[in-house]
Each structure stands twice: as C-alpha cells, then as structure tokens.
Amino acid sequence: MTSVTAEDLSGMGPLVARLGRAGQRLRHADRARPWVLDAAVVCLVLSLFCLPDLLHAIGGDGDGPRRFRLAFTRLPVAGMAALQAGLVLPLLWRRRAPAVAFGAVTAVFVLQWSLGAALRADVALFVALYSLALHGRLRQLPWACAVLAGALGLVAARVSAAVPVSDALFFLLSTATAALALGLMIRIRRAQLAGLRDRAARLETERDQRGRLAVAAERARVAREMHDIVGHNLSVIITLADAGAYATAAAPERGEEALRLIGDTGRQALSELRRVLGVLREGDGPRAGPELSPQPGLADIDALCQGVRAAGLEVVYRTAGDVDALDSGVQLTVYRIVQEALTNTLKHAGAGARAHLAIVVEDARLTIAVQDSGPPAAAGRPGAANEEGHGLVGMRERAALYGGHVSAGPLGTGWAVRAALDLAPQGGAAG
C-alpha cells in the first residue's frame, strides 16, 4: 500500500506543480489588478443567482412548490432587479472595505425579507460574511455575527409558514457558520504562510551574516599568519643585513654568511607566504611544492631559534612535559606565539641580547615564557616598550582560541611575555 501511495504522489507531481504555477500567476495578476477578481465574483453571482429569478419573473411562471409561492411576496421586475443590485454590487469592495460591504448587503437583505421576498441573490450575504472573516478586522466579527443572527431569525420567521423555524434556523446558521469558518481558515493559512516566508527571509539573512562573519574570521586568521610570517622574517633579514654591512669591511666571510642567511630566510618566508595565500585562491587546481607543506609546529621551533641566533640574538630554549603529544592546532598556536615574542625581542632588544624560552606542559595546561635581557649596555629599548601593537593582539587572539591568555611587560632591564593555554577538550582550534 505504501508503494502505491508513493506512485500516486509521484504521478500527481507535475499536475500539482502546474496548478501551483497557475495559482501563482493568478495571485500576481490579482495584485496587479485586484478589481478584475472582484468584478468576476459579482458577474458570477449575477449569472448564477440573479438571472434565474429575473427570467422567472419576466416569464411569469412559478418557481418551487405552491406553498413556497404563497409564502413569499411576488416582486415586480424593477423592484427585484433593484434588490439584486443592492445585494450584489457591494461585493465589488468586499476586499477593500469588507465591513462596509457586509453592512450594505445586510441592510438590503433585511429590507428584502421585511417585504417578504425571497431571492437567490441572498447568497451575497454569505459571500460578504466570508470576505469579512478573511479580510476584515477580527474585532468586527462578533457584532457582524450578532447582526447576521438577527437577520437570519427574521428569515426563519418569514418562512415559518412553509418550513419549521428550527429547520430554517439550522440550515441558515449552518451555512453562515461554514462561510465564517472558511474565511477564518484561509485567513489563518495565509498568516501561517506569511510567517513562514518571513522566517525563511530571516534565516536567509542570518545565513548571509554567518557567511560574512566566517569570511571576516578567515581574513583575520590569514592576516595574523601574514603578520607573523612577514614581521618575523623581515626582522631577521633586516638584522642580518645590518650585521653583514658592518662585517663586510672587517670580515668578508661574515658578510658572505649574512647574505646566505638572508637568502635562506627570504626563501622560507616566500614558502610560508605561498602556503598562506593558497587558501585565498579558488579553483586554481592542484597545488604543489611549498603550498602543500604542513603548518609549523613545535619541531620547527629549533629552526626558528637557529634563525634568530644567526641574526645575533642568543636564545636559550627548553621544554618540559609531553610536548610531542600536543595536537597540530595547539602546536601552531605555540609556534606563532613564540615566533612573535622572539621577533619583538629581536626588534626591540636588538642583536647581542639574550632570551630565555620555556615551553612547559603540566596536565591540561601549557605555559610559554619568553624573557629577554634587554638591549646591551643599557642602551634603552628602541621604541615604546609598553605600546601594544598588532603582534600582541594576535598572540592574545590565538591564546583565546584555547581558553588562554597572554601577558607582557617589563621585567628588570628586559621584557617578558607569558602565555597560558588550556589543553582541556573544547571547540576551539587554531589555524
């Protein structure tokens, strides 16, 4: 039975789609020319319910059993046409002013039954009630229902000679209830669809905002990587170039060594830049060479210290704890923090200074400490030591990914940077 139902639904798919497209076109046309649908409703009521009464009145033949003909007043054609127009024409503004349309139709309806006449055009009263429930204000419905109940009571009293009052009231009130319920049901359905469309629009806006936030976060990550790579390697290159320039005259071999180190540092920087910039490319096909090299980790800190030592900064490096068990994200964060701290030391303390680097892992906590001795001969630290640049901000952002923090400040004649990371499992990850 389940498979038959699925086949039936699949067969109904094209038909439902066509009906949906047709309904959408009708809604667009109705929004563009709302008077067309209102005029069509009036024409339909006139042709189905008004013309038969007019034709019978003109022909003079009775309509229905004899007891019904005797119970109602026979109207002249002009009077019948006037009452029909009063019942049907207000439907032209049933959507723009539903309460006014309902009031006008009800007034003509009461007048008609006060005269004792019965018309098929009375169906306009239920159309007006449906339109009021669908388009009108909800607080208008109680008094509209009260007025309608009184009008229908008048009808039941008028037809009591032919139909019992209870039967007449049951039929009339059931029809009115059906019209009212249909209007409210469609109104609720439209409100639900409007709510769904609004929710879909909000979700689309939120999706776009999340996309923009993700792009901004990725740009910030790339900016941090670029700052770490360019800032560190340029600081090393500048220091080596200055040292080589001074050493060329006295010891040409030292100048040659400085140039070689500058070349190695530049190639390393270019390799890392290619890897970082590779994430900004889309659809470039497979990448090769340096772009596929892994992110730096703790194993690369030795090479980092060697490069800084070549620039003239003496570095004492030690580790404690199970540093090899750290995941790649933590290792990248540690490497970048150490790289930025040593770069700042080289930049501010200069060649000839001494730095102590310690990385300690204790349980679920990792500590990084970088302390330098300050510029040689108390020459004063170049630049304002207590000014926070982008480097310190970047270190703090990286540490915050692992629930950590970074502090920096003067210590004796030198400068100290201390970072603490939380290694407990969490959602953050670097790089």
Side-chain angles (χ1 to χ4, degrees), residues 398-420:
R398 290 183 181 276
L401 293 176
Y402 290 92
H405 63 275
V406 175
S407 60
L411 183 62
T413 60
W415 190 265
V417 175
R418 184 178 178 85

Side-chain angles (χ1 to χ4, degrees), residues 242 329 377:
D242 291 340

Side-chain angles (χ1 to χ4, degrees), residues 98-336:
V100 175
F102 177 80
V105 172
T106 304
V108 177
F109 180 84
V110 172
L111 174 63
Q112 168 209 324
W113 282 99
S114 298
L115 297 175
L119 297 175
R120 289 185 175 90
D122 290 338
V123 72
L125 180 65
F126 302 110
V127 176
L129 177 63
Y130 159 81
S131 301
L132 180 62
L134 178 57
H135 303 290
R137 298 178 181 177
L138 292 179
R139 63 172 179 266
Q140 296 172 340
L141 285 180
W143 67 260
C145 292
V147 171
L148 180 65
L152 296 182
L154 174 63
V155 175
R158 281 291 186 178
V159 301
S160 59
V163 179
V165 174
S166 60
D167 293 345
L169 281 177
F170 176 79
F171 173 77
L172 293 172
L173 292 177
S174 297
T175 306
T177 301
L180 180 65
L182 181 61
L184 290 176
M185 182 186 68
I186 296 178
R187 183 186 189 122
I188 293 172
R189 179 60 177 168
R190 288 184 178 178
Q192 290 175 341
L193 291 176
L196 290 175
R197 285 192 292 269
D198 182 65
R199 183 171 181 269
R202 289 199 307 271
L203 289 176
E204 185 176 359
T205 301
E206 292 175 1
R207 182 198 63 190
D208 295 340
Q209 289 176 346
R210 285 195 299 268
R212 288 193 291 268
L213 289 175
V215 170
E218 181 64 15
R219 287 178 176 174
R221 187 189 71 83
V222 173
R224 287 195 302 267
E225 292 286 321
M226 294 282 289
H227 174 273
D228 293 341
I229 294 169
V230 175
H232 169 74
N233 289 287
L234 283 182
S235 296
V236 173
I237 289 174
I238 291 171
T239 303
L240 289 172
D242 291 340
Y246 286 115
T248 299
E253 67 280 0
R254 296 294 300 276
E256 181 181 352
E257 180 183 1
L259 292 176
R260 179 178 56 79
L261 292 174
I262 289 174
D264 293 340
T265 304
R267 281 188 291 272
Q268 179 184 356
L270 182 60
S271 175
E272 293 191 24
L273 284 176
R274 285 175 177 171
R275 174 181 50 76
V276 173
L277 294 177
V279 302
L280 301 179
R281 297 201 189 100
E282 294 181 1
D284 273 353
R287 300 168 188 162
E291 295 179 0
L292 296 178
S293 61
Q295 295 273 35
L298 292 182
D300 300 292
I301 292 183
D302 286 324
L304 176 66
C305 293
Q306 290 293 338
V308 174
R309 292 188 187 104
L313 177 65
E314 183 179 355
V315 179
V316 179
Y317 171 43
R318 70 178 182 87
T319 61
D322 190 8
V323 295
D324 295 331
L326 300 175
D327 62 56
S328 58
V330 175
Q331 293 195 31
L332 175 62
T333 298
V334 173
Y335 180 89
R336 292 306 186 197

